[in-house]
Amino acid sequence: GAGVSQSPSNKVTEKGKDVELRCDPISGHTALYWYRQRLGQGLEFLIYFQGNSAPDKSGLPSDRFSAERTGESVSTLTIQRTQQEDSAVYLCASSLVFSAGGPVNEQFFGPGTRLTVL
Amino acid sequence: AQTVTQSQPEMSVQEAETVTLSCTYDTSESNYYLFWYKQPPSRQMILVIRQEAYKQQNATENRFSVNFQKAAKSFSLKISDSQLGDTAMYFCAFQGGAQKLVFGQGTRLTINP
């Protein structure tokens, strides 16, 4: 079956503009994650969805960042008034439902969106 | 908060050699999972191997194996008979009670012909 897909693959924008990044998880995966990867760095957690609720938003760096998810499907990460420090690769991952005390389910990653803010 | 540290920014070995990548982590949790991910230039994150903290036996996947030392909070990755296709960034990651993965800064591994 299809893996996690993300669009666009690359996005170049001007400082101050808003951008929307899209993630389509694997069908049936109820958990969805957004991570940010700055150049030469590891991945930083941004937000986690279980279904369409977000129990953990602790990684969102500022109120310019927001995300939503429609049901157990597509998610959109929105960055308002972009700044140059927002330039990074934004990666999305999905996994099967989390069950407390159960085995961890592998997170499958998409190819990412490279965002460049000029 | 959990932290993951990879102290080797870059490593380079010859094809067919064995290489070990280091990772240490800090946590107060007793139940958790550890992972090694590979990221080639395509940016695709690929799971290489995983280890459940409650298991004492070290995980192995073909040419990849780990040395998990729970008391020392150490989780190294050994790649045997290295191949050109192993060239990539390698990330160590921790997952505890919170669902998010906590990543190290990565090790850039180059396999030379």
PDB file of all heavy atoms in Angstrom, chain B residues 89-104:
ATOM      1  N   MET B  89      22.889   9.430   6.970  1.00  0.00           N
ATOM      2  CA  MET B  89      22.842   9.927   8.346  1.00  0.00           C
ATOM      3  C   MET B  89      22.135   8.875   9.187  1.00  0.00           C
ATOM      4  O   MET B  89      21.141   8.277   8.745  1.00  0.00           O
ATOM      5  CB  MET B  89      22.052  11.233   8.424  1.00  0.00           C
ATOM      6  CG  MET B  89      22.774  12.451   7.910  1.00  0.00           C
ATOM      7  SD  MET B  89      24.130  12.958   8.970  1.00  0.00           S
ATOM      8  CE  MET B  89      23.265  13.523  10.421  1.00  0.00           C
ATOM      9  N   TYR B  90      22.637   8.649  10.389  1.00  0.00           N
ATOM     10  CA  TYR B  90      22.019   7.701  11.304  1.00  0.00           C
ATOM     11  C   TYR B  90      21.609   8.439  12.571  1.00  0.00           C
ATOM     12  O   TYR B  90      22.406   9.160  13.179  1.00  0.00           O
ATOM     13  CB  TYR B  90      22.980   6.560  11.643  1.00  0.00           C
ATOM     14  CG  TYR B  90      23.124   5.582  10.497  1.00  0.00           C
ATOM     15  CD1 TYR B  90      23.983   5.862   9.432  1.00  0.00           C
ATOM     16  CD2 TYR B  90      22.381   4.399  10.463  1.00  0.00           C
ATOM     17  CE1 TYR B  90      24.092   4.986   8.360  1.00  0.00           C
ATOM     18  CE2 TYR B  90      22.493   3.519   9.400  1.00  0.00           C
ATOM     19  CZ  TYR B  90      23.345   3.815   8.354  1.00  0.00           C
ATOM     20  OH  TYR B  90      23.455   2.958   7.292  1.00  0.00           O
ATOM     21  N   PHE B  91      20.352   8.228  12.957  1.00  0.00           N
ATOM     22  CA  PHE B  91      19.813   8.891  14.136  1.00  0.00           C
ATOM     23  C   PHE B  91      19.385   7.855  15.166  1.00  0.00           C
ATOM     24  O   PHE B  91      18.681   6.893  14.852  1.00  0.00           O
ATOM     25  CB  PHE B  91      18.598   9.745  13.771  1.00  0.00           C
ATOM     26  CG  PHE B  91      18.922  10.931  12.920  1.00  0.00           C
ATOM     27  CD1 PHE B  91      18.777  10.875  11.546  1.00  0.00           C
ATOM     28  CD2 PHE B  91      19.385  12.105  13.496  1.00  0.00           C
ATOM     29  CE1 PHE B  91      19.082  11.973  10.757  1.00  0.00           C
ATOM     30  CE2 PHE B  91      19.686  13.204  12.723  1.00  0.00           C
ATOM     31  CZ  PHE B  91      19.540  13.142  11.344  1.00  0.00           C
ATOM     32  N   CYS B  92      19.776   8.094  16.395  1.00  0.00           N
ATOM     33  CA  CYS B  92      19.315   7.334  17.536  1.00  0.00           C
ATOM     34  C   CYS B  92      18.070   8.045  18.079  1.00  0.00           C
ATOM     35  O   CYS B  92      18.020   9.292  18.104  1.00  0.00           O
ATOM     36  CB  CYS B  92      20.430   7.307  18.584  1.00  0.00           C
ATOM     37  SG  CYS B  92      20.054   6.459  20.115  1.00  0.00           S
ATOM     38  N   ALA B  93      17.063   7.292  18.511  1.00  0.00           N
ATOM     39  CA  ALA B  93      15.830   7.917  18.991  1.00  0.00           C
ATOM     40  C   ALA B  93      15.268   7.154  20.178  1.00  0.00           C
ATOM     41  O   ALA B  93      15.417   5.932  20.280  1.00  0.00           O
ATOM     42  CB  ALA B  93      14.796   7.988  17.876  1.00  0.00           C
ATOM     43  N   PHE B  94      14.599   7.899  21.070  1.00  0.00           N
ATOM     44  CA  PHE B  94      13.996   7.375  22.294  1.00  0.00           C
ATOM     45  C   PHE B  94      12.493   7.598  22.232  1.00  0.00           C
ATOM     46  O   PHE B  94      12.023   8.658  21.782  1.00  0.00           O
ATOM     47  CB  PHE B  94      14.595   8.134  23.485  1.00  0.00           C
ATOM     48  CG  PHE B  94      13.919   7.887  24.802  1.00  0.00           C
ATOM     49  CD1 PHE B  94      14.458   6.993  25.713  1.00  0.00           C
ATOM     50  CD2 PHE B  94      12.750   8.557  25.150  1.00  0.00           C
ATOM     51  CE1 PHE B  94      13.851   6.768  26.946  1.00  0.00           C
ATOM     52  CE2 PHE B  94      12.130   8.331  26.367  1.00  0.00           C
ATOM     53  CZ  PHE B  94      12.685   7.439  27.263  1.00  0.00           C
ATOM     54  N   GLN B  95      11.729   6.614  22.696  1.00  0.00           N
ATOM     55  CA  GLN B  95      10.280   6.786  22.823  1.00  0.00           C
ATOM     56  C   GLN B  95       9.842   6.214  24.155  1.00  0.00           C
ATOM     57  O   GLN B  95      10.029   5.032  24.410  1.00  0.00           O
ATOM     58  CB  GLN B  95       9.540   6.102  21.674  1.00  0.00           C
ATOM     59  CG  GLN B  95       8.036   6.358  21.692  1.00  0.00           C
ATOM     60  CD  GLN B  95       7.344   5.805  20.457  1.00  0.00           C
ATOM     61  OE1 GLN B  95       7.822   4.876  19.836  1.00  0.00           O
ATOM     62  NE2 GLN B  95       6.208   6.376  20.105  1.00  0.00           N
ATOM     63  N   GLY B  96       9.272   7.073  25.006  1.00  0.00           N
ATOM     64  CA  GLY B  96       8.808   6.653  26.308  1.00  0.00           C
ATOM     65  C   GLY B  96       7.297   6.691  26.397  1.00  0.00           C
ATOM     66  O   GLY B  96       6.600   6.401  25.435  1.00  0.00           O
ATOM     67  N   GLY B  97       6.783   7.088  27.576  1.00  0.00           N
ATOM     68  CA  GLY B  97       5.356   7.137  27.770  1.00  0.00           C
ATOM     69  C   GLY B  97       4.657   8.118  26.845  1.00  0.00           C
ATOM     70  O   GLY B  97       3.545   7.870  26.382  1.00  0.00           O
ATOM     71  N   ALA B  98       5.284   9.242  26.600  1.00  0.00           N
ATOM     72  CA  ALA B  98       4.770  10.168  25.579  1.00  0.00           C
ATOM     73  C   ALA B  98       5.037   9.533  24.227  1.00  0.00           C
ATOM     74  O   ALA B  98       5.998   8.791  24.075  1.00  0.00           O
ATOM     75  CB  ALA B  98       5.486  11.512  25.677  1.00  0.00           C
ATOM     76  N   GLN B  99       4.229   9.772  23.266  1.00  0.00           N
ATOM     77  CA  GLN B  99       4.348   9.088  21.998  1.00  0.00           C
ATOM     78  C   GLN B  99       5.449   9.622  21.095  1.00  0.00           C
ATOM     79  O   GLN B  99       5.882   8.960  20.168  1.00  0.00           O
ATOM     80  CB  GLN B  99       3.001   9.155  21.247  1.00  0.00           C
ATOM     81  CG  GLN B  99       2.010   8.186  21.817  1.00  0.00           C
ATOM     82  CD  GLN B  99       2.520   6.751  21.709  1.00  0.00           C
ATOM     83  OE1 GLN B  99       2.512   6.145  20.654  1.00  0.00           O
ATOM     84  NE2 GLN B  99       2.996   6.201  22.824  1.00  0.00           N
ATOM     85  N   LYS B 100       5.894  10.827  21.383  1.00  0.00           N
ATOM     86  CA  LYS B 100       6.858  11.439  20.474  1.00  0.00           C
ATOM     87  C   LYS B 100       8.202  10.737  20.529  1.00  0.00           C
ATOM     88  O   LYS B 100       8.594  10.159  21.540  1.00  0.00           O
ATOM     89  CB  LYS B 100       7.057  12.908  20.835  1.00  0.00           C
ATOM     90  CG  LYS B 100       7.616  13.116  22.236  1.00  0.00           C
ATOM     91  CD  LYS B 100       7.661  14.581  22.593  1.00  0.00           C
ATOM     92  CE  LYS B 100       8.168  14.770  24.013  1.00  0.00           C
ATOM     93  NZ  LYS B 100       8.117  16.201  24.418  1.00  0.00           N
ATOM     94  N   LEU B 101       8.911  10.777  19.423  1.00  0.00           N
ATOM     95  CA  LEU B 101      10.285  10.315  19.351  1.00  0.00           C
ATOM     96  C   LEU B 101      11.208  11.482  19.693  1.00  0.00           C
ATOM     97  O   LEU B 101      11.008  12.598  19.232  1.00  0.00           O
ATOM     98  CB  LEU B 101      10.606   9.805  17.952  1.00  0.00           C
ATOM     99  CG  LEU B 101       9.968   8.471  17.550  1.00  0.00           C
ATOM    100  CD1 LEU B 101      10.062   8.254  16.054  1.00  0.00           C
ATOM    101  CD2 LEU B 101      10.632   7.329  18.296  1.00  0.00           C
ATOM    102  N   VAL B 102      12.227  11.200  20.500  1.00  0.00           N
ATOM    103  CA  VAL B 102      13.262  12.186  20.819  1.00  0.00           C
ATOM    104  C   VAL B 102      14.529  11.730  20.117  1.00  0.00           C
ATOM    105  O   VAL B 102      15.014  10.617  20.380  1.00  0.00           O
ATOM    106  CB  VAL B 102      13.480  12.301  22.337  1.00  0.00           C
ATOM    107  CG1 VAL B 102      14.590  13.301  22.635  1.00  0.00           C
ATOM    108  CG2 VAL B 102      12.187  12.715  23.029  1.00  0.00           C
ATOM    109  N   PHE B 103      15.066  12.565  19.259  1.00  0.00           N
ATOM    110  CA  PHE B 103      16.187  12.181  18.410  1.00  0.00           C
ATOM    111  C   PHE B 103      17.498  12.788  18.889  1.00  0.00           C
ATOM    112  O   PHE B 103      17.541  13.881  19.466  1.00  0.00           O
ATOM    113  CB  PHE B 103      15.948  12.660  16.972  1.00  0.00           C
ATOM    114  CG  PHE B 103      14.912  11.874  16.218  1.00  0.00           C
ATOM    115  CD1 PHE B 103      13.567  12.201  16.309  1.00  0.00           C
ATOM    116  CD2 PHE B 103      15.280  10.810  15.412  1.00  0.00           C
ATOM    117  CE1 PHE B 103      12.604  11.482  15.626  1.00  0.00           C
ATOM    118  CE2 PHE B 103      14.323  10.081  14.715  1.00  0.00           C
ATOM    119  CZ  PHE B 103      12.982  10.419  14.816  1.00  0.00           C
ATOM    120  N   GLY B 104      18.581  12.070  18.589  1.00  0.00           N
ATOM    121  CA  GLY B 104      19.913  12.638  18.729  1.00  0.00           C
ATOM    122  C   GLY B 104      20.227  13.507  17.524  1.00  0.00           C
ATOM    123  O   GLY B 104      19.419  13.650  16.605  1.00  0.00           O
TER     124      GLY B 104
END
